[in-house]
Amino acid sequence: MALNKRPKIAIIGSGNIGGILAYHATSRKLGDIVLYDNVEGRAEGKSIDISAAAREDEFDLRITGTSNYEDIADSDIVVITAGASRRYGMSRGDLVAINSENMFGIAQGIRNYAPSACVIVVCNPLDAMVTLCQRCTGFPHQRVMGMAGVLDSARFATFIAEELGVSVRDVNATVLGSHGDCMVPIVRFANVNGIPVMELLRQKYRGDEQRVQETMDALVLRTQKAGGEIIRLLKDKSAYYSPASSILTMIEAIIQNRKRLITATAYLTGQFGVSGYYVGVPCIIGASGVERIVEFEMTPHEKAMFDKSVDDIQQLVAQLPEIPPEFAPKP
Ligand code: A3D
């Protein structure tokens, strides 16, 4: 019997997010994992540790650690979790220079050894780094996407569930736009198994419209600042458990060709009135990557917030360095 090849997932950057992602990807049996890091021994050490969980967690996958790009050869998916993260007091934009420099080498490694992969960018500032990754790899936009919206939407859903005292499993929430303070939670779409959250807040606060609005405003603001809230508490680290879970959602959607409708940072060619920029929007994610961007009519308030978010992205992208000549498309 011919057995199909198992999916191969490369994770570039074996720090907090990369390590947890590798562990959960193996325990969910998603495929063989290659952990890469430029700190000698880090990826290998984590891979040996995770391998030793295989018996108890009942997986028979291969997990290897490396500092050599050759080992990511022919990966189906590459996730980029390499790079500096924010410290307390920093904005995501403060990471442009350092993480751009990292991206040059990473993109070259991916372009050389995993030319058919779908790439999920996670490092910050997300919207700029996914742009740079696509420019450097030259891959079709459909195969280069950013993970932010799944996480931002999960945070919004979590805060709504806590406020209403319901299971987060039943909460649908959508956050679009940039992965920054100008992200756009779409309040109109927030519901608990179809019942609008605003209606449930009205029931809770017995029709006190001011209290309802203030509560929703606070949920939106907390979502927009959620990353910073965690950094303020951890001081020298950013969130890592929930980003890893959100990346898994995207990996599963691609590997299992699930056609999930989720928010991903995708390249716009006129959708929502934007062209030539990566922005967080609703997408169908399947085996080919971003298979379709799903548009809907925004209210004037949503559109104003979305446009502000796009301005934010444009400012970050304007700070990106020139692409070195070795990345120029081959004639
Ligand atoms: P951390 O635990 O510091 O791990 C980063 C790893 O990358 C370290 O092991 C480094 O050695 C490694 N690394 C650095 N440069 C390179 C390079 N050039 N090649 C290979 N490996 C390298 O950080 P983390 O895992 O907490 O976060 C990783 C990135 O994700 C950061 O840029 C964060 O800002 C970002 N992040 C994004 C989100 C989103 O929702 C988009 C959420 C949380 C963190």
Side-chain angles (χ1 to χ4, degrees):
M1 185 175 65
L3 292 175
N4 286 333
K5 176 182 154 288
R6 276 200 294 255
K8 180 170 175 180
I9 303 160
I11 301 171
I12 312 298
S14 310
N16 280 339
I17 300 180
I20 288 166
L21 175 64
Y23 170 67
H24 285 295
T26 46
S27 56
R28 287 199 201 176
K29 306 175 178 60
L30 291 183
D32 292 331
I33 307 290
V34 179
L35 263 176
Y36 175 98
D37 206 282
N38 65 352
V39 172
E40 200 68 38
R42 180 170 292 169
E44 207 183 346
K46 289 201 179 187
S47 72
I48 293 169
D49 187 15
I50 295 170
S51 298
R55 192 185 73 160
E56 306 314 309
D57 290 349
E58 297 184 35
F59 58 82
D60 291 303
L61 305 164
R62 249 175 82 73
I63 167 152
T64 44
T66 185
S67 291
N68 183 349
Y69 273 112
E70 280 174 30
D71 296 322
I72 73 164
D74 301 324
S75 293
D76 300 290
I77 296 189
V78 179
V79 183
I80 306 179
T81 53
S85 44
R86 282 191 291 165
R87 303 277 185 270
Y88 184 52
M90 286 170 83
S91 78
R92 291 182 179 92
D94 293 335
L95 299 171
V96 171
I98 177 163
N99 282 347
S100 294
E101 204 53 46
N102 285 326
M103 185 56 80
F104 290 144
I106 294 166
Q108 197 159 42
I110 298 171
R111 197 169 81 154
N112 289 345
Y113 294 102
S116 307
C118 277
V119 183
I120 303 173
V121 179
V122 182
C123 52
N124 273 316
L126 191 274
D127 313 287
M129 288 305 114
V130 66
T131 306
L132 191 61
C133 180
Q134 191 284 325
R135 286 180 183 173
C136 293
T137 55
F139 289 2
H141 291 103
Q142 187 182 26
R143 284 203 278 121
V144 182
M145 68 206 86
M147 186 298 291
V150 178
L151 174 63
D152 297 329
S153 302
R155 285 172 169 162
F156 192 28
T158 304
F159 302 145
I160 289 169
E162 285 171 4
E163 168 64 32
L164 292 174
V166 299
S167 166
V168 71
R169 174 77 181 73
D170 296 325
V171 180
N172 293 302
T174 304
V175 179
L176 307 178
S178 61
H179 182 57
D181 292 352
C182 294
M183 67 181 71
V184 189
I186 305 289
V187 172
R188 189 165 56 105
F189 289 172
N191 70 76
V192 182
N193 269 342
I195 303 173
V197 169
M198 288 301 271
E199 198 166 313
L200 294 168
L201 287 175
R202 279 187 195 104
Q203 284 173 23
K204 179 172 174 180
Y205 294 115
R206 295 170 199 280
D208 180 342
E209 270 310 312
Q210 188 180 340
R211 187 128 185 239
V212 167
Q213 198 52 58
E214 281 170 6
T215 304
M216 181 46 83
D217 290 348
L219 293 171
V220 164
L221 189 67
R222 190 170 178 205
T223 303
Q224 291 167 324
K225 307 259 180 206
E229 182 181 355
I230 293 167
I231 294 170
R232 184 166 47 77
L233 294 164
L234 296 183
K235 309 272 187 301
D236 60 345
K237 278 285 156 201
S238 54
Y240 45 98
Y241 294 105
S242 52
S245 295
S246 302
I247 301 163
L248 283 166
T249 297
M250 295 183 75
I251 294 176
E252 267 179 359
I254 296 168
I255 281 181
Q256 298 169 359
N257 194 18
R258 293 189 71 179
K259 318 287 184 200
R260 292 286 311 270
L261 199 173
I262 51 184
T263 308
T265 304
Y267 189 74
L268 300 188
T269 54
Q271 297 89 344
F272 298 102
V274 179
S275 252
Y277 286 93
Y278 271 95
V279 184
V281 287
C283 297
I284 304 288
I285 306 288
S288 325
V290 176
E291 300 193 344
R292 188 154 60 88
I293 291 168
V294 179
E295 285 189 90
F296 64 92
E297 189 140 354
M298 292 183 179
T299 65
H301 176 65
E302 288 161 358
K303 185 74 172 80
M305 283 181 78
F306 187 79
D307 288 347
K308 191 160 180 279
S309 200
V310 172
D311 278 353
D312 212 38
I313 292 172
Q314 287 171 337
Q315 282 175 33
L316 278 175
V317 169
Q319 290 176 46
L320 286 174
E322 289 284 314
I323 308 289
E326 61 267 30
F327 289 108
K330 294 191 179 87

